[in-house]
Amino acid sequence: QVQLVQSGSEVKKPGASVKVSCKASGYIYTSYYIHWVRQAPGHGLEWMGVFNPTNTRIKYAQILQGRVSMTRDTSTSTFYMELSNLRSDDTAVYYCARPQVDGTEVDAFDIWGQGTLVTVSS
Amino acid sequence: DIQMTQSPSSLSASVGDGVAITCRTSQKIFKFLNWYQQKPGKAPKLLISAASSLQSGVPSRFSGSGSETDFTLTISSLQPEDFATYYCQQSYTTPITFGQGTRLDIK
């Protein structure tokens, strides 16, 4: 069964960093890009960036440049998204998502993680 | 960035009604337009890709149409489980952008 399983909820203080994990299973994880999307409470979906697991290249949403990084652990087929210098408006559910077609950077997302709530509060 | 204008932002309808949600893009994206359904506390679910390709397991009352800059998601004969929020998304280029969502409520 193809799935992405994310780490649990986090509560962080402003200025801290958070690292969310996304474990891939049921498919060859190096064959598909991984995207990160977030959703603030009561708001819509915001694309954060995309990670190429073949060469580890990343494209970020410009608004997050300098604060977000994306990595992987090949030994566990796990992807990570780390957001630094957290602010209250970073409070959101963070999703990892997989494109429908292997080797395609930009495509419809047919597989999503269950989401990770990150709360930023002093 | 490609801007997505989705309308209406909210919609009230009854079981059995048909509804249409539109999505307009700020530049031509051919057919690189996808539709998602999201229920509270859940991840989005892909309904339609490439403007009109119905995903496996999605009921045939859902359909998509359009190309270039104007797209429509149509739900015929609403069922209770269809009341949710719907998003369009362009997959033509990065940055990927989404419509602001349409909340579909029971009248």
Side-chain angles (χ1 to χ4, degrees):
Chain A
Q1 179 187 1
V2 175
Q3 58 179 353
L4 299 171
V5 178
Q6 298 183 224
S7 48
S9 299
E10 303 262 12
V11 179
K12 297 291 183 179
K13 293 190 182 301
S17 297
V18 68
K19 194 170 187 178
V20 178
S21 69
C22 171
K23 182 174 174 59
S25 63
Y27 72 97
I28 301 172
Y29 89 102
T30 52
S31 296
Y32 291 80
Y33 288 71
I34 280 289
H35 293 252
W36 291 87
V37 175
R38 70 178 180 177
Q39 186 172 37
H43 286 76
L45 301 165
E46 178 185 25
W47 181 77
M48 300 178 68
V50 56
F51 178 83
N52 182 339
T54 301
N55 59 20
T56 71
R57 288 182 183 167
I58 303 159
K59 287 185 182 178
Y60 301 112
Q62 194 167 8
I63 194 171
L64 295 172
Q65 287 276 3
R67 292 206 299 136
V68 63
S69 65
M70 297 175 188
T71 57
R72 62 151 186 216
D73 181 339
T74 56
S75 66
T76 61
S77 306
T78 301
F79 299 93
Y80 297 91
M81 185 284 300
E82 184 168 17
L83 189 60
S84 62
N85 194 18
L86 289 167
R87 309 186 295 240
S88 58
D89 62 358
D90 291 318
T91 295
V93 175
Y94 289 76
Y95 294 101
C96 55
R98 194 198 79 167
Q100 201 165 24
V101 177
D102 61 340
T104 303
E105 181 184 68
V106 184
D107 197 2
F109 302 148
D110 65 338
I111 305 295
W112 293 70
Q114 82 276 21
T116 297
L117 174 62
V118 175
T119 303
V120 183
S121 173
S122 55
Chain B
D1 298 4
I2 297 175
Q3 308 303 313
M4 313 288 286
T5 304
Q6 189 176 335
S7 62
S9 56
S10 65
L11 181 57
S12 293
S14 301
V15 172
D17 287 350
V19 297
I21 299 168
T22 63
C23 186
R24 177 166 288 177
T25 60
S26 61
Q27 64 185 72
K28 291 181 181 180
I29 61 167
F30 306 95
K31 286 187 174 288
F32 293 98
L33 191 285
N34 312 301
W35 291 98
Y36 297 86
Q37 177 193 68
Q38 188 180 32
K39 296 183 177 180
K42 299 294 186 181
K45 173 188 174 183
L46 179 63
L47 298 176
I48 290 171
S49 63
S52 60
S53 179
L54 193 68
Q55 297 305 293
S56 175
V58 175
S60 59
R61 61 181 179 272
F62 291 90
S63 63
S65 63
S67 65
E68 299 195 343
T69 61
D70 291 284
F71 302 88
T72 302
L73 172 69
T74 302
I75 313 172
S76 64
S77 190
L78 281 165
Q79 298 302 299
E81 61 268 28
D82 299 337
F83 293 94
T85 300
Y86 293 85
Y87 294 93
C88 58
Q89 174 218 24
Q90 63 83 13
S91 53
Y92 179 65
T93 188
T94 56
I96 288 172
T97 45
F98 293 87
Q100 78 274 25
T102 295
R103 180 173 173 172
L104 177 55
D105 291 331
I106 299 177
K107 186 183 288 182

